[in-house]
Every structure is written in structure tokens, then in C-alpha cells.
Amino acid sequence: MTISAHKIENQQDLEAAFKIRETVFVVEQNVPAEEEYDEFEKSSTHYLATANGIPCGTARWRVTDKGVKLERFAVLQEYRSQQVGSAILQKVMADVQAAHPGKKMYMHAQVHAIPFYGRHGFTKVGELFSECDIDHYKMEKYA
């Protein structure tokens, strides 16, 4: 399987990313659609991962007053544990490091994903908290 991840540059790829997020977050995890899609869609940098050309994963990042927030990582169920998440995360981190060297990258990681992000150099900080009835920890890494 050939996996690749790229920054989204067109509406068709953005729609594919939104469809993946809807499937993972709204359908699988019961996140309300009005919580999933927010005022940061237009100001964020979005990514799409493909496996053999088929859209299967997505993420985005945006600059905040606390650093660069990585968010909305989602991989379709049938493509999990096949390096799709790693491909997206590595592409996002490389682009953030190039655009914002030395800035803190952070995320709100779902508890089940903490080991994954830890393998990529992120450190859990702070206390457990809930977003959309899903337990999270903040994780950080410096670009």
C-alpha cells in the first residue's frame, strides 16, 4: 500500500477531509457536528492522507496564542494501524517546523492516542479533561 499525505490546496480534497472527519468524529465518536466544524476551518492549514490514492486520513493545524495547535487528526477505521496517522503527523510536523521553527506544537489528544503521539516526541502535560464527552490530555513538542 502506498501512503502519502499532502497539504490541501483544492476544494475537492477539503471536502474529502471533511467527509473523513464526519465519519470518524460525528458518526463513530458521536461528536455533535456543530462542535466538529468550527470558526477555524478557513484559517487552518488542512491535510489529506491517501492510501493507493484513496482519501483515508486528515488533520489540520493553526497558530494560536499558545503556539501551533495540531488538531482534527482522523483516520478511517479500515486504514488504522497501517501508518496513515504517522504519515499525516510527520507531514504536518515538517511543515510546522519549516513555517514556525522553535515554536511549541501542542494538541488535545484523546487518551487512546497518547502512546501514538508519544512515539512521535510529544509529551503529556497537565490533567485529564473532557471535550465532547471524550477524555483528552494536552500534549506538547517543540518545533
Side-chain angles (χ1 to χ4, degrees):
M1 180 179 325
T2 302
I3 298 167
S4 66
H6 64 274
K7 187 166 85 168
I8 292 176
E9 306 278 359
N10 63 61
Q11 190 62 33
Q12 181 179 345
D13 283 355
L14 188 60
E15 288 170 12
F18 285 168
K19 186 173 181 186
I20 292 165
R21 285 171 48 189
E22 181 174 347
T23 299
V24 172
F25 295 124
V26 178
V27 176
E28 284 180 31
Q29 298 184 350
N30 296 312
V31 172
E34 60 273 12
E35 295 285 330
E36 176 54 30
Y37 304 102
D38 62 21
E39 69 271 24
F40 303 113
E41 300 300 349
K42 287 186 176 11
S43 60
S44 296
T45 302
H46 296 264
Y47 290 78
L48 184 67
T50 60
N52 295 336
I54 299 168
C56 61
T58 188
R60 75 179 194 191
W61 64 267
R62 61 189 173 91
V63 176
T64 73
D65 59 354
K66 297 174 188 153
V68 179
K69 187 173 185 192
L70 314 185
E71 53 192 3
R72 302 304 199 271
F73 282 84
V75 175
L76 294 175
Q77 190 167 22
E78 58 269 30
Y79 292 95
R80 293 179 193 151
S81 300
Q82 298 181 47
Q83 303 302 310
V84 174
S86 290
I88 301 168
L89 182 55
Q90 289 169 359
K91 176 63 175 157
V92 167
M93 288 191 312
D95 286 3
V96 169
Q97 289 167 342
H100 303 282
K103 257 207 160 148
K104 179 175 69 178
M105 292 183 283
Y106 72 100
M107 66 182 65
H108 295 169
Q110 292 184 12
V111 169
H112 71 87
I114 286 170
F116 167 76
Y117 293 118
R119 287 192 299 273
H120 292 276
F122 285 83
T123 303
K124 184 171 75 168
V125 295
E127 300 297 317
L128 181 72
F129 63 94
S130 181
E131 283 183 344
C132 298
D133 292 325
I134 300 169
D135 286 342
H136 290 74
Y137 278 98
K138 183 177 181 184
M139 297 190 80
E140 299 178 340
K141 177 180 179 167
Y142 285 84

